[in-house]
């Protein structure tokens, strides 16, 4: 029997509202509870992402041993090229997207968190 149930996945960032809107455009969903230092995004399928203001936030580097990513999101997409075009328009930065033969591409969200677009 499980000891716990996954609740909210929380990403530290300098601007919770802006990052919630970025992921709302990428994943769909509704920005819900919004406080000064905390914003929640209800994602289709039931999971909630939250974004918490972190003073002095230093984004991870990918790849890096000194400032490892520590955590990243894998986002399944039916069309890598179309999804890439969309996330770049929303402000994502390519980190490792040059190899078009792979089934995934790596980007950073506007706060610097790595995420992957993965062909499904």
């Amino acid at each position: 029997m499980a000891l716990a149930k996954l609740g909210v996945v929380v990403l530290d960032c300098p601007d919770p509202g802006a990052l919630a809107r970025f992921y709302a455009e990428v994943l769909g969903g509704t920005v819900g509870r919004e406080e000064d230092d905390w914003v929640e995004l209800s994602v289709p399928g039931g999971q909630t992402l939250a974004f918490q203001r972190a003073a002095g936030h230093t984004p991870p580097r990918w790849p890096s041993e000194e400032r490892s990513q520590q955590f990243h999101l894998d986002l399944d997409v039916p069309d890598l090229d179309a999804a890439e075009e969309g996330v770049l328009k929303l402000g994502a930065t390519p980190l490792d997207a040059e190899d078009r033969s792979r089934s995934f591409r790596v980007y950073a969200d506007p706060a610097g968190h790595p995420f992957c677009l993965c062909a499904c």
Side-chain angles (χ1 to χ4, degrees):
M1 171 168 34
L3 296 175
K5 176 182 160 189
L6 180 63
V8 177
V9 175
V10 182
L11 294 164
D12 285 353
C13 59
D15 185 341
L19 200 56
R21 288 186 297 278
F22 171 82
Y23 279 105
E25 289 294 324
V26 173
L27 299 171
T30 306
V31 175
R33 182 174 147 207
E34 235 179 303
E35 298 173 7
D36 184 46
D37 292 339
W38 182 273
V39 178
E40 291 182 359
L41 173 65
S42 297
V43 178
Q47 188 59 49
T48 298
L49 287 176
F51 307 91
Q52 178 175 303
R53 185 178 318 280
H57 171 73
T58 303
R61 270 199 199 122
W62 189 94
S64 171
E65 290 183 19
E66 295 82 35
R67 285 183 18 210
S68 73
Q69 65 180 331
Q70 299 175 15
F71 172 89
H72 76 273
L73 298 172
D74 281 349
L75 308 178
D76 293 338
V77 299
D79 182 332
L80 280 171
D81 293 330
E84 175 180 65
E85 181 179 345
V87 298
L88 293 177
K89 284 181 183 176
L90 293 169
T93 304
L95 296 178
D96 184 18
E98 297 81 23
D99 185 349
R100 302 301 199 191
S101 67
R102 295 185 312 206
S103 62
F104 68 95
R105 300 176 190 165
V106 185
Y107 304 86
D109 68 25
H113 303 105
F115 69 93
C116 296
L117 296 178
C118 304
C120 62

